[in-house]
Amino acid sequence: MELQRRQALAVLLLPAWPALATPESMDAAIHALTGGAPRREGRVEIEIAELVENGNAVPVLLRVPGSPMTAADHVQKLALFTERNPAPEVAVFHLGPRNGRAQVATRIRLATSQRLVALAQLSDGSWWQQQASVIVTLAACVEG
């Protein structure tokens, strides 16, 4: 009986690290967003530093340059996915012609060095993607 209590106590005292996403779970999350539609490389841009000293607040910019952002031709969604954060879907931004520009800037947390994927859905239903790799020297997203 004493051994079971000690085992239970040991489990409770272990740090509760969140599980990290995998490349497969990121692909599954992307598939869920796009509905399995084909994705082409290009058009969407992701601007992020290649080397990040601290993963707690990493600036990132997503944009689709040259999009006229008119009722007939505009970006409907910009999304960002990470390969090794606790959850692969970081953000999905819904845009419309009134946005004026297809551009979003934010800060994200990065658990570790990893690959990021930016996606853009245009009003014609097409999906575009761009990838970036980031090296993080001080990780974030791992606190319990």
Side-chain angles (χ1 to χ4, degrees), residues 25-37 39 76-81 88-94 117-121 125 127-128:
S25 64
M26 181 180 72
D27 290 340
I30 290 172
H31 182 81
L33 177 70
T34 64
R39 302 180 312 264
Q76 291 181 327
K77 291 180 188 170
L78 284 172
L80 183 63
F81 292 84
E89 184 179 282
V90 175
V92 178
F93 301 95
H94 298 268
V117 176
L119 293 171
Q121 182 185 31
W127 286 93
W128 296 84

